[in-house]
Amino acid sequence: MGVALASAALVAPLKRHPPTIATYCSHSSLQIFHGARQEGYRTLGIAAGKPPRYYEAFPLARPDAFLSIPKLDQLPKYVSRLNREHAILVPHGSFVEYLGPERFAALPVPVFGNRAVLAWESDREKEREWLEGAGVQMPRRYETVDDIDGPAIVKYYGAKGGKGFILAKNKEALRDFRPTGPFVIQQYVLGTRYYIHFFYSPLSRDGYRVGPGSLELLGMDRRDEANIDELYKLGAQEELLAAGIRPTFVVTGNVPVVLRESLLPQVFDIGARIVERSIELFGGMVGPFCVEGIVTEELKFYVFEISTRIVAGTNVFPSGSSYADLVAPNLSMGRRMAIEISRAREQDRLREVLS
Ligand code: ATP
């Protein structure tokens, strides 16, 4: 038996009644509902206002029922309805962000994965403590502008949605920098970005063993980030700034990628270290997480961020990927979560995958 994350009382009804897989209608919800239905689960879409019309266009992913509420932050008022439906909530970026990590973590409804991870992911300081403690290479952090010795990126705390970043070629470019709030300065790593979709199963005893379970690699994407991806074509930074054009990293979409096979040992090692440290720090991560990093020309992988739940980049792969196809046929991240829930029910280990 592994770490029990959920109380016996929270999961007891789910042993007797088939659960309903519920999530907020946005982000990766189509894939979550599709995967849950493939495994025979009933699905519930939580909508702020009317359910989005685009669901009508996707019959295999449209949830069986909707819970329409005026605004997402009122979800705590609907807890008894969710529990009556035997809902298991699946967190995703927009769900956690719009409800707020604290409010999400406090919901007295079963959640897939370890909700304790939200506190570690949503705080840049704690995230660095976790990743550096795991021995993972991150971009250097500069305490002051004077310490900068190459290209740098300034990130305001709480920079959200890809805005609130400043890029600088060198420290001279930041001489006139007057911060408007708390910020960090990082080494700007030059290389190629990869967003690696892992799944950690505490139940599995096969495959790439890490801690009490196994680590799976199900896909990889790269984000298209509004103007930054094309900005270089327009020329030098100073001229762009003079023209009033600032770089933003607003994500507009995702593209599938694969990594040189010789880099796989490095990324599995990174994934394994992050999981092992999470077990020591807060009982472990369960289910999907995404390691977001940059590979330099020296073939070194720097991790600048981790997302500890399903990421929207997995939407590229609703029926398999270059990696998931080698694990099982027709496997999406949404489906993988549903499979884990089924296994946990069969083995009477729901407390290890829900919290
Ligand atoms: P999100 O929560 O949407 O993942 P965020 O607001 O936390 O984003 P980051 O993920 O830290 O911001 O960074 C946004 C983008 O900035 C990245 O996708 C990447 O393109 C770029 N970036 C961030 N840190 C670095 C770095 N140290 N070197 C080079 N590029 C970076």
Side-chain angles (χ1 to χ4, degrees):
M1 202 63 179
V3 182
L5 304 172
S7 70
L10 195 73
V11 304
L14 302 175
K15 289 188 198 166
R16 296 188 299 271
H17 303 278
T20 297
I21 306 299
T23 197
Y24 176 56
C25 291
S26 183
H27 191 270
S28 43
S29 64
L30 287 170
Q31 188 207 146
I32 293 169
F33 295 136
H34 177 234
R37 287 177 73 160
Q38 283 174 307
E39 293 305 305
Y41 287 105
R42 186 173 172 273
T43 51
L44 177 73
I46 301 165
K50 276 208 251 166
R53 236 196 106 192
Y54 66 82
Y55 280 103
E56 291 163 21
F58 302 110
L60 301 184
R62 191 174 188 274
D64 296 303
F66 287 99
L67 168 63
S68 278
I69 60 179
K71 284 177 89 183
L72 189 60
D73 61 12
Q74 296 184 10
L75 192 62
K77 289 193 201 155
Y78 296 83
V79 158
S80 51
R81 159 90 191 268
L82 291 169
N83 282 328
R84 254 197 329 272
E85 304 238 8
H86 305 298
I88 294 177
L89 297 180
V90 175
H92 59 60
S94 307
F95 196 173
V96 176
E97 178 69 30
Y98 300 161
L99 187 57
E102 287 95 18
R103 223 179 278 143
F104 189 94
L107 285 173
V109 180
V111 167
F112 183 72
N114 184 357
R115 61 177 93 195
V117 76
L118 296 173
W120 287 85
E121 180 217 40
S122 55
D123 177 331
R124 281 198 202 275
E125 298 296 327
K126 289 186 95 166
E127 183 186 70
R128 186 166 275 266
E129 183 189 327
W130 170 15
L131 297 182
E132 286 191 339
V136 168
Q137 175 99 53
M138 294 188 78
R140 253 177 308 144
R141 202 168 142 161
Y142 301 116
E143 295 310 322
T144 66
V145 170
D146 277 333
D147 298 334
I148 298 174
D149 60 359
I153 179 167
V154 180
K155 300 180 177 183
Y156 281 105
Y157 277 36
K160 287 285 171 249
K163 292 183 179 157
F165 299 92
I166 300 168
L167 297 187
K169 271 196 268 187
N170 47 39
K171 68 172 140 193
E172 282 65 44
L174 283 175
R175 279 282 164 242
D176 297 328
F177 171 55
R178 300 281 172 271
T180 54
F183 64 96
V184 288
I185 312 175
Q186 270 182 12
Q187 164 195 13
Y188 186 79
V189 182
L190 290 173
T192 324
R193 288 171 297 120
Y194 293 89
Y195 299 74
I196 314 232
H197 315 155
F198 283 116
F199 185 94
Y200 180 67
S201 166
L203 307 182
S204 177
R205 296 286 175 270
D206 309 317
Y208 192 94
R209 299 297 313 276
V210 176
S214 303
L215 183 64
E216 296 167 20
L217 171 62
L218 296 188
M220 264 176 227
D221 75 295
R222 179 164 312 137
R223 296 182 183 162
D224 275 338
E225 294 176 320
N227 71 23
I228 188 74
D229 285 341
E230 297 296 315
L231 213 54
Y232 68 95
K233 293 183 184 159
L234 292 176
Q237 284 274 330
E238 287 79 4
E239 287 167 35
L240 292 171
L241 282 176
I245 300 172
R246 292 183 176 278
T248 66
F249 294 85
V250 176
V251 181
T252 57
N254 304 78
V255 286
V257 292
V258 288
L259 199 63
R260 285 171 66 136
E261 196 166 315
S262 59
L263 285 168
L264 289 180
Q266 213 183 133
V267 300
F268 268 101
D269 179 58
I270 290 170
R273 286 165 176 274
I274 291 175
V275 170
E276 279 159 0
R277 187 76 186 124
S278 77
I279 294 171
E280 292 163 7
L281 288 174
F282 51 84
M285 249 187 322
V286 172
F289 69 101
C290 179
V291 172
E292 308 175 9
I294 300 171
V295 179
T296 63
E297 60 187 359
E298 291 83 28
L299 301 180
K300 256 185 142 170
F301 197 99
Y302 285 80
V303 178
F304 60 84
E305 169 106 319
I306 177 173
S307 293
T308 55
R309 23 122 204 118
I310 186 169
V311 287
T314 60
N315 292 339
V316 176
F317 311 114
S319 54
S321 76
S322 311
Y323 300 102
D325 285 356
L326 312 179
V327 178
N330 249 316
L331 190 62
S332 69
M333 192 60 89
R335 187 172 192 185
R336 183 64 189 85
M337 287 190 274
I339 291 172
E340 194 75 354
I341 292 169
S342 301
R343 282 191 193 154
R345 286 189 84 221
E346 279 157 29
Q347 298 174 18
D348 196 12
R349 297 174 71 186
L350 277 170
R351 295 176 67 190
E352 293 173 55
V353 303
L354 304 181
S355 63

